[in-house]
Amino acid sequence: MKPKVAFFDFTGCEGCQLDALHLDAGEVIDLLNAVDIVNFREVMTERSDDYDIAFIEGSITRESEITRLKKIRDQAKIVVAFGACACIGGVNCLKNHLPMEEALKIVYGEDARYYDTIPARPADAVVKVDYCVRGCPPVTSELLKVIKALLLGKKPDIPNHPVCVECKMAGNVCVFERGMTCLGPVTRAGCDAVCINSGRHCWGCRGLVDDPNVDSEKEVLQKYGLTVEQVVEKFKIFNTYAEVAK
């Protein structure tokens, strides 16, 4: 029997799930031949509570989401955090710098009393997560690679080197040389330096590498007249949870 796969959305824009649909016809056929997708709100109305692999999109920002995620964890043999919000907390965690009542009033005004919220957190702050597919949104090819590895009973090969490696392989001029600030020296690769290739800078949406070369990063900042505090402020866009949780 084919493994049953389910996609679940928590607090987020659901862009990760939408981007996951960007498969060519051959990839779709191969995927459907390999697994049974039993829960995927973006593409199907049928739902099943019988699944083996659960992909979690979005951060956890309500008490009810904690209960729901724990129930999914109890059912699934494998849980995969999918996207920046699920993997590292993402932009939703920016509200963690405020008292929750104040955050609700800013967003909902007089209607704030009808809503509840808690400090946002990634999925692994609530349950054990087996693997992460990182990014905002994740790279579709990496998602397929992870699914294939899981079907073969192998540990997915997830990059654990900085974006700078991919950037240099692409032949890009360093973002710092262009007068901008980049988080590539300490951010986990796997995106093929897509933002830098497009003329922008790395936003840190894939989170820190496991063992970032902090000394090297400080040398780069010193060379270009930047401070650690300036970089930390930019890093908070996606990584506030890691910063606040210290």
Side-chain angles (χ1 to χ4, degrees):
M1 295 179 63
K2 295 187 289 186
K4 297 180 176 64
V5 175
F7 286 80
F8 297 98
D9 51 281
F10 285 78
T11 298
C13 68
E14 299 189 24
C16 296
Q17 291 184 76
L18 288 174
D19 207 68
L21 303 175
H22 291 172
L23 305 174
D24 63 37
E27 291 171 329
V28 171
I29 292 172
D30 289 343
L31 181 61
L32 294 179
N33 283 337
V35 302
D36 281 330
I37 299 178
V38 299
N39 209 322
F40 198 155
R41 191 172 67 83
E42 294 288 350
V43 297
M44 58 192 291
T45 56
E46 298 83 1
R47 296 182 183 182
S48 172
D49 291 326
D50 180 18
Y51 44 85
D52 305 300
I53 303 172
F55 284 85
I56 305 300
E57 182 200 28
S59 60
I60 310 304
T61 66
R62 291 181 294 171
E63 290 289 349
S64 59
E65 291 182 326
I66 293 177
T67 302
R68 180 176 173 231
L69 181 56
K70 287 181 177 179
K71 184 177 179 181
I72 292 170
R73 173 72 270 188
D74 289 341
Q75 169 62 33
K77 296 184 176 101
I78 297 172
V79 170
V80 182
F82 182 51
C85 291
C87 291
I88 58 176
V91 295
N92 290 324
C93 289
L94 286 171
K95 74 173 183 178
N96 294 0
H97 292 286
L98 299 171
M100 292 299 99
E101 288 186 5
E102 184 178 344
L104 282 174
K105 288 181 180 178
I106 290 172
V107 176
Y108 298 109
E110 294 181 357
D111 295 327
R113 65 184 182 277
Y114 297 115
Y115 300 90
D116 66 279
T117 192
I118 59 175
R121 63 205 68 185
D124 69 358
V126 178
V127 299
K128 178 181 180 294
V129 169
D130 299 294
Y131 304 104
C132 287
V133 183
R134 300 169 182 269
C136 182
V139 180
T140 304
S141 59
E142 186 170 77
L143 170 63
L144 289 175
K145 183 172 69 173
V146 168
I147 292 175
K148 289 177 182 178
L150 296 178
L151 294 178
L152 293 171
K154 297 181 178 180
K155 181 179 179 180
D157 181 21
I158 305 298
N160 195 20
H161 53 265
V163 172
C164 284
V165 174
E166 294 176 337
C167 201
K168 290 177 180 177
M169 291 176 65
N172 292 318
V173 174
C174 181
V175 169
F176 288 99
E177 291 287 346
R178 294 191 276 122
M180 296 191 290
T181 305
C182 186
L183 302 179
V186 292
T187 296
R188 185 186 296 264
C191 58
D192 293 327
V194 60
C195 291
I196 300 93
N197 293 344
S198 301
R200 303 300 300 278
H201 61 273
C202 175
W203 300 81
C205 74
R206 291 177 63 85
L208 283 170
V209 292
D210 286 345
D211 188 20
N213 191 333
V214 177
D215 291 336
S216 177
E217 172 74 352
K218 288 181 179 178
E219 289 177 7
V220 171
L221 297 178
Q222 186 176 15
K223 177 181 178 182
Y224 294 99
L226 299 167
T227 65
V228 173
E229 289 72 23
Q230 286 174 303
V231 171
V232 168
E233 282 302 308
K234 291 184 178 294
F235 203 69
K236 286 179 180 178
I237 294 173
F238 281 98
N239 293 271
T240 279
Y241 181 79
E243 179 67 22
V244 173
K246 285 182 180 179

